[in-house]
mmCIF file with all atom_site columns, all heavy atoms in Angstrom:
data_model
loop_
_atom_site.group_PDB
_atom_site.id
_atom_site.type_symbol
_atom_site.label_atom_id
_atom_site.label_alt_id
_atom_site.label_comp_id
_atom_site.label_asym_id
_atom_site.label_entity_id
_atom_site.label_seq_id
_atom_site.pdbx_PDB_ins_code
_atom_site.Cartn_x
_atom_site.Cartn_y
_atom_site.Cartn_z
_atom_site.occupancy
_atom_site.B_iso_or_equiv
_atom_site.pdbx_formal_charge
_atom_site.auth_seq_id
_atom_site.auth_comp_id
_atom_site.auth_asym_id
_atom_site.auth_atom_id
_atom_site.pdbx_PDB_model_num
ATOM 1   N N   . LYS A 1 1  ? 31.460 1.327   22.208 1.00 93.00 ? 1  LYS A N   1
ATOM 2   C CA  . LYS A 1 1  ? 30.260 1.184   23.037 1.00 93.00 ? 1  LYS A CA  1
ATOM 3   C C   . LYS A 1 1  ? 29.178 0.515   22.206 1.00 93.00 ? 1  LYS A C   1
ATOM 4   O O   . LYS A 1 1  ? 28.988 0.771   21.021 1.00 93.00 ? 1  LYS A O   1
ATOM 5   C CB  . LYS A 1 1  ? 29.789 2.540   23.520 1.00 93.00 ? 1  LYS A CB  1
ATOM 6   C CG  . LYS A 1 1  ? 30.748 3.196   24.505 1.00 93.00 ? 1  LYS A CG  1
ATOM 7   C CD  . LYS A 1 1  ? 30.241 4.572   24.949 1.00 93.00 ? 1  LYS A CD  1
ATOM 8   C CE  . LYS A 1 1  ? 31.205 5.234   25.955 1.00 93.00 ? 1  LYS A CE  1
ATOM 9   N NZ  . LYS A 1 1  ? 30.716 6.568   26.349 1.00 93.00 ? 1  LYS A NZ  1
ATOM 10  N N   . LEU A 1 2  ? 28.409 -0.380  22.885 1.00 93.00 ? 2  LEU A N   1
ATOM 11  C CA  . LEU A 1 2  ? 27.395 -1.121  22.168 1.00 93.00 ? 2  LEU A CA  1
ATOM 12  C C   . LEU A 1 2  ? 26.398 -0.181  21.474 1.00 93.00 ? 2  LEU A C   1
ATOM 13  O O   . LEU A 1 2  ? 25.976 -0.403  20.341 1.00 93.00 ? 2  LEU A O   1
ATOM 14  C CB  . LEU A 1 2  ? 26.634 -2.040  23.133 1.00 93.00 ? 2  LEU A CB  1
ATOM 15  C CG  . LEU A 1 2  ? 25.542 -2.902  22.534 1.00 93.00 ? 2  LEU A CG  1
ATOM 16  C CD1 . LEU A 1 2  ? 26.054 -3.764  21.381 1.00 93.00 ? 2  LEU A CD1 1
ATOM 17  C CD2 . LEU A 1 2  ? 24.905 -3.769  23.608 1.00 93.00 ? 2  LEU A CD2 1
ATOM 18  N N   . MET A 1 3  ? 26.024 0.903   22.139 1.00 94.00 ? 3  MET A N   1
ATOM 19  C CA  . MET A 1 3  ? 25.072 1.832   21.535 1.00 94.00 ? 3  MET A CA  1
ATOM 20  C C   . MET A 1 3  ? 25.648 2.492   20.271 1.00 94.00 ? 3  MET A C   1
ATOM 21  O O   . MET A 1 3  ? 24.923 2.759   19.309 1.00 94.00 ? 3  MET A O   1
ATOM 22  C CB  . MET A 1 3  ? 24.656 2.898   22.547 1.00 94.00 ? 3  MET A CB  1
ATOM 23  C CG  . MET A 1 3  ? 23.730 2.367   23.680 1.00 94.00 ? 3  MET A CG  1
ATOM 24  S SD  . MET A 1 3  ? 22.212 1.631   23.009 1.00 94.00 ? 3  MET A SD  1
ATOM 25  C CE  . MET A 1 3  ? 21.258 1.438   24.520 1.00 94.00 ? 3  MET A CE  1
ATOM 26  N N   . GLU A 1 4  ? 26.943 2.763   20.245 1.00 94.00 ? 4  GLU A N   1
ATOM 27  C CA  . GLU A 1 4  ? 27.571 3.315   19.069 1.00 94.00 ? 4  GLU A CA  1
ATOM 28  C C   . GLU A 1 4  ? 27.568 2.311   17.930 1.00 94.00 ? 4  GLU A C   1
ATOM 29  O O   . GLU A 1 4  ? 27.413 2.663   16.734 1.00 94.00 ? 4  GLU A O   1
ATOM 30  C CB  . GLU A 1 4  ? 28.999 3.770   19.384 1.00 94.00 ? 4  GLU A CB  1
ATOM 31  C CG  . GLU A 1 4  ? 29.050 4.969   20.327 1.00 94.00 ? 4  GLU A CG  1
ATOM 32  C CD  . GLU A 1 4  ? 30.511 5.351   20.677 1.00 94.00 ? 4  GLU A CD  1
ATOM 33  O OE1 . GLU A 1 4  ? 31.422 4.778   20.029 1.00 94.00 ? 4  GLU A OE1 1
ATOM 34  O OE2 . GLU A 1 4  ? 30.711 6.221   21.549 1.00 94.00 ? 4  GLU A OE2 1
ATOM 35  N N   . TYR A 1 5  ? 27.755 1.063   18.261 1.00 94.00 ? 5  TYR A N   1
ATOM 36  C CA  . TYR A 1 5  ? 27.722 -0.023  17.285 1.00 94.00 ? 5  TYR A CA  1
ATOM 37  C C   . TYR A 1 5  ? 26.326 -0.113  16.664 1.00 94.00 ? 5  TYR A C   1
ATOM 38  O O   . TYR A 1 5  ? 26.161 -0.235  15.404 1.00 94.00 ? 5  TYR A O   1
ATOM 39  C CB  . TYR A 1 5  ? 28.111 -1.331  17.957 1.00 94.00 ? 5  TYR A CB  1
ATOM 40  C CG  . TYR A 1 5  ? 28.055 -2.526  17.075 1.00 94.00 ? 5  TYR A CG  1
ATOM 41  C CD1 . TYR A 1 5  ? 28.888 -2.670  15.965 1.00 94.00 ? 5  TYR A CD1 1
ATOM 42  C CD2 . TYR A 1 5  ? 27.204 -3.592  17.393 1.00 94.00 ? 5  TYR A CD2 1
ATOM 43  C CE1 . TYR A 1 5  ? 28.852 -3.784  15.183 1.00 94.00 ? 5  TYR A CE1 1
ATOM 44  C CE2 . TYR A 1 5  ? 27.163 -4.746  16.600 1.00 94.00 ? 5  TYR A CE2 1
ATOM 45  C CZ  . TYR A 1 5  ? 27.989 -4.803  15.515 1.00 94.00 ? 5  TYR A CZ  1
ATOM 46  O OH  . TYR A 1 5  ? 27.930 -5.933  14.717 1.00 94.00 ? 5  TYR A OH  1
ATOM 47  N N   . ILE A 1 6  ? 25.311 -0.043  17.497 1.00 94.00 ? 6  ILE A N   1
ATOM 48  C CA  . ILE A 1 6  ? 23.945 -0.067  17.014 1.00 94.00 ? 6  ILE A CA  1
ATOM 49  C C   . ILE A 1 6  ? 23.690 1.115   16.109 1.00 94.00 ? 6  ILE A C   1
ATOM 50  O O   . ILE A 1 6  ? 23.016 0.995   15.077 1.00 94.00 ? 6  ILE A O   1
ATOM 51  C CB  . ILE A 1 6  ? 22.940 -0.129  18.200 1.00 94.00 ? 6  ILE A CB  1
ATOM 52  C CG1 . ILE A 1 6  ? 23.091 -1.434  18.961 1.00 94.00 ? 6  ILE A CG1 1
ATOM 53  C CG2 . ILE A 1 6  ? 21.519 0.069   17.723 1.00 94.00 ? 6  ILE A CG2 1
ATOM 54  C CD1 . ILE A 1 6  ? 22.327 -1.493  20.297 1.00 94.00 ? 6  ILE A CD1 1
ATOM 55  N N   . GLU A 1 7  ? 24.191 2.287   16.468 1.00 95.00 ? 7  GLU A N   1
ATOM 56  C CA  . GLU A 1 7  ? 24.019 3.469   15.654 1.00 95.00 ? 7  GLU A CA  1
ATOM 57  C C   . GLU A 1 7  ? 24.653 3.273   14.257 1.00 95.00 ? 7  GLU A C   1
ATOM 58  O O   . GLU A 1 7  ? 24.115 3.738   13.248 1.00 95.00 ? 7  GLU A O   1
ATOM 59  C CB  . GLU A 1 7  ? 24.630 4.694   16.334 1.00 95.00 ? 7  GLU A CB  1
ATOM 60  C CG  . GLU A 1 7  ? 23.851 5.165   17.562 1.00 95.00 ? 7  GLU A CG  1
ATOM 61  C CD  . GLU A 1 7  ? 24.576 6.220   18.382 1.00 95.00 ? 7  GLU A CD  1
ATOM 62  O OE1 . GLU A 1 7  ? 25.711 6.615   17.932 1.00 95.00 ? 7  GLU A OE1 1
ATOM 63  O OE2 . GLU A 1 7  ? 24.090 6.611   19.436 1.00 95.00 ? 7  GLU A OE2 1
ATOM 64  N N   . ALA A 1 8  ? 25.800 2.601   14.221 1.00 96.00 ? 8  ALA A N   1
ATOM 65  C CA  . ALA A 1 8  ? 26.472 2.349   12.919 1.00 96.00 ? 8  ALA A CA  1
ATOM 66  C C   . ALA A 1 8  ? 25.600 1.466   12.039 1.00 96.00 ? 8  ALA A C   1
ATOM 67  O O   . ALA A 1 8  ? 25.507 1.669   10.818 1.00 96.00 ? 8  ALA A O   1
ATOM 68  C CB  . ALA A 1 8  ? 27.840 1.725   13.161 1.00 96.00 ? 8  ALA A CB  1
ATOM 69  N N   . ILE A 1 9  ? 24.961 0.443   12.640 1.00 96.00 ? 9  ILE A N   1
ATOM 70  C CA  . ILE A 1 9  ? 24.070 -0.440  11.873 1.00 96.00 ? 9  ILE A CA  1
ATOM 71  C C   . ILE A 1 9  ? 22.827 0.330   11.413 1.00 96.00 ? 9  ILE A C   1
ATOM 72  O O   . ILE A 1 9  ? 22.385 0.184   10.277 1.00 96.00 ? 9  ILE A O   1
ATOM 73  C CB  . ILE A 1 9  ? 23.690 -1.685  12.685 1.00 96.00 ? 9  ILE A CB  1
ATOM 74  C CG1 . ILE A 1 9  ? 24.937 -2.546  12.960 1.00 96.00 ? 9  ILE A CG1 1
ATOM 75  C CG2 . ILE A 1 9  ? 22.611 -2.493  12.001 1.00 96.00 ? 9  ILE A CG2 1
ATOM 76  C CD1 . ILE A 1 9  ? 24.703 -3.782  13.776 1.00 96.00 ? 9  ILE A CD1 1
ATOM 77  N N   . GLU A 1 10 ? 22.272 1.140   12.310 1.00 95.00 ? 10 GLU A N   1
ATOM 78  C CA  . GLU A 1 10 ? 21.115 1.941   11.927 1.00 95.00 ? 10 GLU A CA  1
ATOM 79  C C   . GLU A 1 10 ? 21.463 2.871   10.733 1.00 95.00 ? 10 GLU A C   1
ATOM 80  O O   . GLU A 1 10 ? 20.672 2.971   9.792  1.00 95.00 ? 10 GLU A O   1
ATOM 81  C CB  . GLU A 1 10 ? 20.692 2.823   13.113 1.00 95.00 ? 10 GLU A CB  1
ATOM 82  C CG  . GLU A 1 10 ? 20.069 2.061   14.282 1.00 95.00 ? 10 GLU A CG  1
ATOM 83  C CD  . GLU A 1 10 ? 19.780 2.950   15.479 1.00 95.00 ? 10 GLU A CD  1
ATOM 84  O OE1 . GLU A 1 10 ? 20.651 3.823   15.775 1.00 95.00 ? 10 GLU A OE1 1
ATOM 85  O OE2 . GLU A 1 10 ? 18.735 2.783   16.119 1.00 95.00 ? 10 GLU A OE2 1
ATOM 86  N N   . ALA A 1 11 ? 22.617 3.506   10.776 1.00 96.00 ? 11 ALA A N   1
ATOM 87  C CA  . ALA A 1 11 ? 23.038 4.416   9.724  1.00 96.00 ? 11 ALA A CA  1
ATOM 88  C C   . ALA A 1 11 ? 23.202 3.644   8.393  1.00 96.00 ? 11 ALA A C   1
ATOM 89  O O   . ALA A 1 11 ? 22.762 4.150   7.329  1.00 96.00 ? 11 ALA A O   1
ATOM 90  C CB  . ALA A 1 11 ? 24.318 5.123   10.100 1.00 96.00 ? 11 ALA A CB  1
ATOM 91  N N   . ALA A 1 12 ? 23.802 2.496   8.445  1.00 96.00 ? 12 ALA A N   1
ATOM 92  C CA  . ALA A 1 12 ? 24.038 1.720   7.243  1.00 96.00 ? 12 ALA A CA  1
ATOM 93  C C   . ALA A 1 12 ? 22.725 1.198   6.665  1.00 96.00 ? 12 ALA A C   1
ATOM 94  O O   . ALA A 1 12 ? 22.554 1.091   5.431  1.00 96.00 ? 12 ALA A O   1
ATOM 95  C CB  . ALA A 1 12 ? 24.977 0.555   7.517  1.00 96.00 ? 12 ALA A CB  1
ATOM 96  N N   . LEU A 1 13 ? 21.781 0.851   7.536  1.00 96.00 ? 13 LEU A N   1
ATOM 97  C CA  . LEU A 1 13 ? 20.476 0.370   7.079  1.00 96.00 ? 13 LEU A CA  1
ATOM 98  C C   . LEU A 1 13 ? 19.530 1.487   6.695  1.00 96.00 ? 13 LEU A C   1
ATOM 99  O O   . LEU A 1 13 ? 18.529 1.270   5.985  1.00 96.00 ? 13 LEU A O   1
ATOM 100 C CB  . LEU A 1 13 ? 19.812 -0.491  8.166  1.00 96.00 ? 13 LEU A CB  1
ATOM 101 C CG  . LEU A 1 13 ? 20.443 -1.868  8.436  1.00 96.00 ? 13 LEU A CG  1
ATOM 102 C CD1 . LEU A 1 13 ? 19.807 -2.494  9.680  1.00 96.00 ? 13 LEU A CD1 1
ATOM 103 C CD2 . LEU A 1 13 ? 20.226 -2.785  7.236  1.00 96.00 ? 13 LEU A CD2 1
ATOM 104 N N   . GLY A 1 14 ? 19.787 2.663   7.242  1.00 95.00 ? 14 GLY A N   1
ATOM 105 C CA  . GLY A 1 14 ? 18.900 3.815   7.005  1.00 95.00 ? 14 GLY A CA  1
ATOM 106 C C   . GLY A 1 14 ? 17.582 3.666   7.721  1.00 95.00 ? 14 GLY A C   1
ATOM 107 O O   . GLY A 1 14 ? 16.553 4.168   7.247  1.00 95.00 ? 14 GLY A O   1
ATOM 108 N N   . LYS A 1 15 ? 17.631 3.023   8.908  1.00 95.00 ? 15 LYS A N   1
ATOM 109 C CA  . LYS A 1 15 ? 16.400 2.793   9.659  1.00 95.00 ? 15 LYS A CA  1
ATOM 110 C C   . LYS A 1 15 ? 16.721 2.685   11.138 1.00 95.00 ? 15 LYS A C   1
ATOM 111 O O   . LYS A 1 15 ? 17.688 2.015   11.513 1.00 95.00 ? 15 LYS A O   1
ATOM 112 C CB  . LYS A 1 15 ? 15.723 1.495   9.179  1.00 95.00 ? 15 LYS A CB  1
ATOM 113 C CG  . LYS A 1 15 ? 14.340 1.244   9.752  1.00 95.00 ? 15 LYS A CG  1
ATOM 114 C CD  . LYS A 1 15 ? 13.718 0.019   9.118  1.00 95.00 ? 15 LYS A CD  1
ATOM 115 C CE  . LYS A 1 15 ? 12.294 -0.206  9.655  1.00 95.00 ? 15 LYS A CE  1
ATOM 116 N NZ  . LYS A 1 15 ? 11.662 -1.410  9.054  1.00 95.00 ? 15 LYS A NZ  1
ATOM 117 N N   . PRO A 1 16 ? 15.962 3.356   12.011 1.00 94.00 ? 16 PRO A N   1
ATOM 118 C CA  . PRO A 1 16 ? 16.254 3.326   13.434 1.00 94.00 ? 16 PRO A CA  1
ATOM 119 C C   . PRO A 1 16 ? 15.824 1.998   14.062 1.00 94.00 ? 16 PRO A C   1
ATOM 120 O O   . PRO A 1 16 ? 14.934 1.317   13.540 1.00 94.00 ? 16 PRO A O   1
ATOM 121 C CB  . PRO A 1 16 ? 15.426 4.466   14.040 1.00 94.00 ? 16 PRO A CB  1
ATOM 122 C CG  . PRO A 1 16 ? 14.271 4.603   13.086 1.00 94.00 ? 16 PRO A CG  1
ATOM 123 C CD  . PRO A 1 16 ? 14.840 4.281   11.729 1.00 94.00 ? 16 PRO A CD  1
ATOM 124 N N   . ALA A 1 17 ? 16.480 1.659   15.176 1.00 94.00 ? 17 ALA A N   1
ATOM 125 C CA  . ALA A 1 17 ? 16.187 0.435   15.876 1.00 94.00 ? 17 ALA A CA  1
ATOM 126 C C   . ALA A 1 17 ? 15.237 0.679   17.074 1.00 94.00 ? 17 ALA A C   1
ATOM 127 O O   . ALA A 1 17 ? 15.391 1.684   17.767 1.00 94.00 ? 17 ALA A O   1
ATOM 128 C CB  . ALA A 1 17 ? 17.458 -0.240  16.396 1.00 94.00 ? 17 ALA A CB  1
ATOM 129 N N   . LYS A 1 18 ? 14.332 -0.216  17.274 1.00 94.00 ? 18 LYS A N   1
ATOM 130 C CA  . LYS A 1 18 ? 13.565 -0.266  18.513 1.00 94.00 ? 18 LYS A CA  1
ATOM 131 C C   . LYS A 1 18 ? 14.368 -1.098  19.502 1.00 94.00 ? 18 LYS A C   1
ATOM 132 O O   . LYS A 1 18 ? 14.892 -2.177  19.126 1.00 94.00 ? 18 LYS A O   1
ATOM 133 C CB  . LYS A 1 18 ? 12.202 -0.891  18.310 1.00 94.00 ? 18 LYS A CB  1
ATOM 134 C CG  . LYS A 1 18 ? 11.319 -0.174  17.288 1.00 94.00 ? 18 LYS A CG  1
ATOM 135 C CD  . LYS A 1 18 ? 10.053 -0.965  17.027 1.00 94.00 ? 18 LYS A CD  1
ATOM 136 C CE  . LYS A 1 18 ? 9.193  -0.294  15.942 1.00 94.00 ? 18 LYS A CE  1
ATOM 137 N NZ  . LYS A 1 18 ? 7.986  -1.114  15.634 1.00 94.00 ? 18 LYS A NZ  1
ATOM 138 N N   . LYS A 1 19 ? 14.534 -0.613  20.733 1.00 93.00 ? 19 LYS A N   1
ATOM 139 C CA  . LYS A 1 19 ? 15.455 -1.255  21.657 1.00 93.00 ? 19 LYS A CA  1
ATOM 140 C C   . LYS A 1 19 ? 14.712 -1.847  22.866 1.00 93.00 ? 19 LYS A C   1
ATOM 141 O O   . LYS A 1 19 ? 13.908 -1.139  23.515 1.00 93.00 ? 19 LYS A O   1
ATOM 142 C CB  . LYS A 1 19 ? 16.516 -0.283  22.112 1.00 93.00 ? 19 LYS A CB  1
ATOM 143 C CG  . LYS A 1 19 ? 17.331 0.304   20.985 1.00 93.00 ? 19 LYS A CG  1
ATOM 144 C CD  . LYS A 1 19 ? 18.327 1.354   21.463 1.00 93.00 ? 19 LYS A CD  1
ATOM 145 C CE  . LYS A 1 19 ? 19.061 1.979   20.347 1.00 93.00 ? 19 LYS A CE  1
ATOM 146 N NZ  . LYS A 1 19 ? 18.213 2.880   19.482 1.00 93.00 ? 19 LYS A NZ  1
ATOM 147 N N   . ASN A 1 20 ? 15.008 -3.100  23.161 1.00 90.00 ? 20 ASN A N   1
ATOM 148 C CA  . ASN A 1 20 ? 14.482 -3.777  24.317 1.00 90.00 ? 20 ASN A CA  1
ATOM 149 C C   . ASN A 1 20 ? 15.655 -3.903  25.319 1.00 90.00 ? 20 ASN A C   1
ATOM 150 O O   . ASN A 1 20 ? 16.492 -4.780  25.208 1.00 90.00 ? 20 ASN A O   1
ATOM 151 C CB  . ASN A 1 20 ? 13.960 -5.173  23.934 1.00 90.00 ? 20 ASN A CB  1
ATOM 152 C CG  . ASN A 1 20 ? 13.324 -5.900  25.101 1.00 90.00 ? 20 ASN A CG  1
ATOM 153 O OD1 . ASN A 1 20 ? 12.891 -5.279  26.095 1.00 90.00 ? 20 ASN A OD1 1
ATOM 154 N ND2 . ASN A 1 20 ? 13.269 -7.203  25.009 1.00 90.00 ? 20 ASN A ND2 1
ATOM 155 N N   . LEU A 1 21 ? 15.695 -2.994  26.316 1.00 90.00 ? 21 LEU A N   1
ATOM 156 C CA  . LEU A 1 21 ? 16.836 -2.949  27.257 1.00 90.00 ? 21 LEU A CA  1
ATOM 157 C C   . LEU A 1 21 ? 16.674 -4.055  28.316 1.00 90.00 ? 21 LEU A C   1
ATOM 158 O O   . LEU A 1 21 ? 15.643 -4.116  28.976 1.00 90.00 ? 21 LEU A O   1
ATOM 159 C CB  . LEU A 1 21 ? 16.918 -1.568  27.905 1.00 90.00 ? 21 LEU A CB  1
ATOM 160 C CG  . LEU A 1 21 ? 17.103 -0.391  26.918 1.00 90.00 ? 21 LEU A CG  1
ATOM 161 C CD1 . LEU A 1 21 ? 17.162 0.930   27.684 1.00 90.00 ? 21 LEU A CD1 1
ATOM 162 C CD2 . LEU A 1 21 ? 18.370 -0.571  26.097 1.00 90.00 ? 21 LEU A CD2 1
ATOM 163 N N   . LEU A 1 22 ? 17.704 -4.840  28.441 1.00 90.00 ? 22 LEU A N   1
ATOM 164 C CA  . LEU A 1 22 ? 17.652 -6.024  29.302 1.00 90.00 ? 22 LEU A CA  1
ATOM 165 C C   . LEU A 1 22 ? 18.892 -6.079  30.222 1.00 90.00 ? 22 LEU A C   1
ATOM 166 O O   . LEU A 1 22 ? 19.898 -5.411  29.948 1.00 90.00 ? 22 LEU A O   1
ATOM 167 C CB  . LEU A 1 22 ? 17.625 -7.296  28.473 1.00 90.00 ? 22 LEU A CB  1
ATOM 168 C CG  . LEU A 1 22 ? 16.423 -7.488  27.548 1.00 90.00 ? 22 LEU A CG  1
ATOM 169 C CD1 . LEU A 1 22 ? 16.671 -8.655  26.628 1.00 90.00 ? 22 LEU A CD1 1
ATOM 170 C CD2 . LEU A 1 22 ? 15.145 -7.656  28.351 1.00 90.00 ? 22 LEU A CD2 1
ATOM 171 N N   . PRO A 1 23 ? 18.806 -6.815  31.347 1.00 90.00 ? 23 PRO A N   1
ATOM 172 C CA  . PRO A 1 23 ? 19.988 -6.927  32.213 1.00 90.00 ? 23 PRO A CA  1
ATOM 173 C C   . PRO A 1 23 ? 21.071 -7.808  31.575 1.00 90.00 ? 23 PRO A C   1
ATOM 174 O O   . PRO A 1 23 ? 20.833 -8.468  30.564 1.00 90.00 ? 23 PRO A O   1
ATOM 175 C CB  . PRO A 1 23 ? 19.397 -7.602  33.480 1.00 90.00 ? 23 PRO A CB  1
ATOM 176 C CG  . PRO A 1 23 ? 18.200 -8.299  33.004 1.00 90.00 ? 23 PRO A CG  1
ATOM 177 C CD  . PRO A 1 23 ? 17.633 -7.471  31.901 1.00 90.00 ? 23 PRO A CD  1
ATOM 178 N N   . MET A 1 24 ? 22.233 -7.819  32.179 1.00 86.00 ? 24 MET A N   1
ATOM 179 C CA  . MET A 1 24 ? 23.346 -8.653  31.710 1.00 86.00 ? 24 MET A CA  1
ATOM 180 C C   . MET A 1 24 ? 22.959 -10.110 31.774 1.00 86.00 ? 24 MET A C   1
ATOM 181 O O   . MET A 1 24 ? 22.293 -10.547 32.721 1.00 86.00 ? 24 MET A O   1
ATOM 182 C CB  . MET A 1 24 ? 24.579 -8.431  32.594 1.00 86.00 ? 24 MET A CB  1
ATOM 183 C CG  . MET A 1 24 ? 25.779 -9.235  32.224 1.00 86.00 ? 24 MET A CG  1
ATOM 184 S SD  . MET A 1 24 ? 26.701 -8.530  30.849 1.00 86.00 ? 24 MET A SD  1
ATOM 185 C CE  . MET A 1 24 ? 27.691 -7.324  31.736 1.00 86.00 ? 24 MET A CE  1
#
């Protein structure tokens, strides 16, 4: 899932992401 992928990047960077939710 895309959100899980983002979580993996956040964990590796040690910093949370601000998210701009957009349509397809």
